[in-house]
């Protein structure tokens, strides 16, 4: 195999089993990594215990294996990474790049729903407080390798966003950046529902002085009502039988060239062919309506 520096990843939260929507993200990131002779890692984003479903992480890993999506190296568990997050939080604080905030949701709503930097200079301590980043590097747009230039909500891009929650949990944006950097991820392929936090993540890379990865946001699979397939709206878990017809549906969704003889192929042969045929050129670009602000 030729040498490549490409490192991709799939980073599910164990808040439920994988469904067709999550398969799109898993398969898309897998194909893009393999087509680039790259490494494909899996990271379990178990930093939010209240949202976790017991056993979901193990089920997700089993589902990936069942669908022939074999990852490289060990799975990284965010629950084992607290020290790294704490270290980065301490660094930001020491640099004067973060501060404690005791504002309530109600107060933020009363100033229009976007945080106004109220506590920046108040010198609160950690007691019952969230930690917010001093937004020195607002990023208002970024280049998506599938859909081109993507504009963020200007007010959200400029907000001093939360990096450590008041309930003591680490914020998704912090953990994802610290871990993608730690794992050497060069390109992130994920669903379009994660478009909005991307500009915040890029701004964190800038704060840390790290090179940001490239981004590809895949279109989202919708249910018959036009809503995103998600655990919240009870998308059915991936079927346990023959994975091939489901993989074929996912490849169709990604608008890939599919052989009519797929029934004669094993899962591994089918995936190998999908890697050989993989092209971003035909993947549907994302529609603006699919972007939403994920409060993570
Ligand atoms: N853990 C996040 C989720 O399942 C995805 C994180 C990412 O791909 O950046 O929605
Ligand atoms: Zn505040």
């Amino acid at each position: 195999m030729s040498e490549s520096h490409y490192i991709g990843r799939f980073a599910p939260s164990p808040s439920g089993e994988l469904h067709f929507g999550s398969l799109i993200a898993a398969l898309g990131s897998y194909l893009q990594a393999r087509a680039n002779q790259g490494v494909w890692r899996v990271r379990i984003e178990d930093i939010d215990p209240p949202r976790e479903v017991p056993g979901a992480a193990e089920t997700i890993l089993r589902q990936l294996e069942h669908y022939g999506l074999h990852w490289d190296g060990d799975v990284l568990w965010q629950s084992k990474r607290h020290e790294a997050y704490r270290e980065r939080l301490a660094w930001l604080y020491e640099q004067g790049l973060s501060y404690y905030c005791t504002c309530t949701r109600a107060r933020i709503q009363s100033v229009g729903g976007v945080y106004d930097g109220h506590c920046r200079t108040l010198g609160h301590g950690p007691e019952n407080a969230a930690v917010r980043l001093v937004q020195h590097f607002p990023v208002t747009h970024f280049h998506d390798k599938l859909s081109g230039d993507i504009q963020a909500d200007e007010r959200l891009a400029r907000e001093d966003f939360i990096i450590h929650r008041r309930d003591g949990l680490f914020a998704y944006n912090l953990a994802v950046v610290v871990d993608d950097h730690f794992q050497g991820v060069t390109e992130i392929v994920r669903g379009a529902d994660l478009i909005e936090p991307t500009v915040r993540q890029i701004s964190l890379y800038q704060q840390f002085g790290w090179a940001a990865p490239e981004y590809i946001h895949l279109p989202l699979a919708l249910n018959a009502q036009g809503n995103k397939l998600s655990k919240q709206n009870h998308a059915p878990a991936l079927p346990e039988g023959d994975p091939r017809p489901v993989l074929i549906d996912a490849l169709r969704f990604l608008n890939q060239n599919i052989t009519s003889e797929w029934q004669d192929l094993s899962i591994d042969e089918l995936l190998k062919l999908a890697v050989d045929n993989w092209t971003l050129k035909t993947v549907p670009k994302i529609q603006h309506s699919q972007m939403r602000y994920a409060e993570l």
Side-chain angles (χ1 to χ4, degrees), residues 9 11-13 45 172 176 190 194:
R9 51 65 155 186
S13 304
E45 304 217 307
Y172 156 71
V176 81
R190 59 186 176 191
L194 290 162

Side-chain angles (χ1 to χ4, degrees), residues 16-293:
E17 300 181 18
L18 297 183
H19 49 74
F20 187 73
S22 25
L23 179 67
I24 301 291
L27 181 64
S29 63
Y30 171 89
L31 294 175
Q32 175 72 358
R34 294 292 182 242
N36 283 282
Q37 287 87 44
V39 163
W40 187 64
R41 301 196 187 286
V42 169
R43 180 169 76 232
I44 298 289
E45 304 217 307
D46 52 348
I47 42 161
D48 194 344
R51 280 217 222 166
E52 272 154 40
V53 171
E58 291 72 20
T59 304
I60 288 170
L61 296 175
R62 212 173 337 105
Q63 287 174 304
L64 290 173
E65 296 276 17
H66 183 69
Y67 278 77
L69 303 175
H70 306 297
W71 57 89
D72 297 307
D74 291 335
V75 171
L76 187 70
W77 297 76
Q78 289 196 321
S79 55
K80 306 249 160 69
R81 297 273 302 146
H82 290 190
E83 212 162 303
Y85 309 145
R86 252 184 234 115
E87 190 269 321
R88 279 292 99 192
L89 284 171
W91 184 84
L92 287 169
Y93 193 74
E94 282 155 20
Q95 306 290 311
L97 297 174
S98 67
Y99 59 92
Y100 292 105
C101 165
T102 55
C103 292
T104 59
R105 238 172 237 268
R107 196 200 149 263
I108 297 168
Q109 284 313 317
S110 76
V111 296
V114 176
Y115 189 64
D116 58 358
H118 181 74
C119 297
R120 254 197 198 202
T121 54
L122 296 183
H124 294 305
E127 198 76 348
N128 198 21
V131 180
R132 289 182 181 274
L133 184 78
V134 180
Q135 187 48 281
H136 281 304
F137 296 99
V139 174
T140 55
H141 62 108
F142 70 96
H143 178 75
D144 185 276
K145 278 175 77 180
L146 174 64
S147 301
D149 190 60
I150 293 185
Q151 206 69 34
D153 180 308
E154 188 86 19
R155 292 187 323 148
L156 289 173
R158 295 184 186 285
E159 186 181 49
D160 288 350
F161 61 86
I162 290 180
I163 50 179
H164 196 197
R165 290 161 39 171
R166 186 202 287 258
D167 59 11
L169 297 179
F170 299 102
Y172 156 71
N173 284 315
L174 177 86
V176 81
V177 167
V178 171
D179 286 343
D180 281 328
H181 175 74
F182 172 71
Q183 296 192 281
V185 171
T186 58
E187 186 174 87
I188 292 175
V189 180
R190 59 186 176 191
D193 53 330
L194 290 162
I195 281 226
E196 278 286 350
T198 300
V199 290
R200 296 182 163 188
Q201 291 166 25
I202 296 171
S203 80
L204 268 177
Y205 280 98
Q206 298 189 354
Q207 296 269 8
F208 291 140
W210 298 339
E214 304 210 71
Y215 292 95
I216 295 173
H217 289 87
L218 299 172
L220 299 178
L222 306 179
N223 63 18
Q225 288 76 46
N227 296 316
K228 175 189 110 138
L229 295 184
S230 70
K231 293 154 192 164
Q232 287 75 23
N233 58 35
H234 311 294
L238 287 174
E240 283 176 15
D242 186 355
R244 295 174 308 161
V246 188
L247 286 169
I248 290 292
D249 282 349
L251 288 166
R252 277 212 181 92
F253 180 85
L254 292 168
N255 207 13
Q256 299 298 297
N257 194 7
I258 289 151
T259 166
S260 52
E261 265 109 67
W262 62 264
Q263 316 214 18
D264 302 331
L265 303 178
S266 69
I267 304 165
D268 288 344
E269 286 166 342
L270 192 157
L271 284 170
K272 161 112 185 30
L273 192 64
V275 170
D276 293 342
N277 288 339
W278 171 250
T279 174
L280 262 188
K281 288 208 181 79
T282 51
V283 176
K285 296 189 192 331
I286 48 167
Q287 308 295 313
H288 206 80
S289 61
Q290 295 197 343
M291 305 175 193
R292 70 172 170 94
Y293 176 58

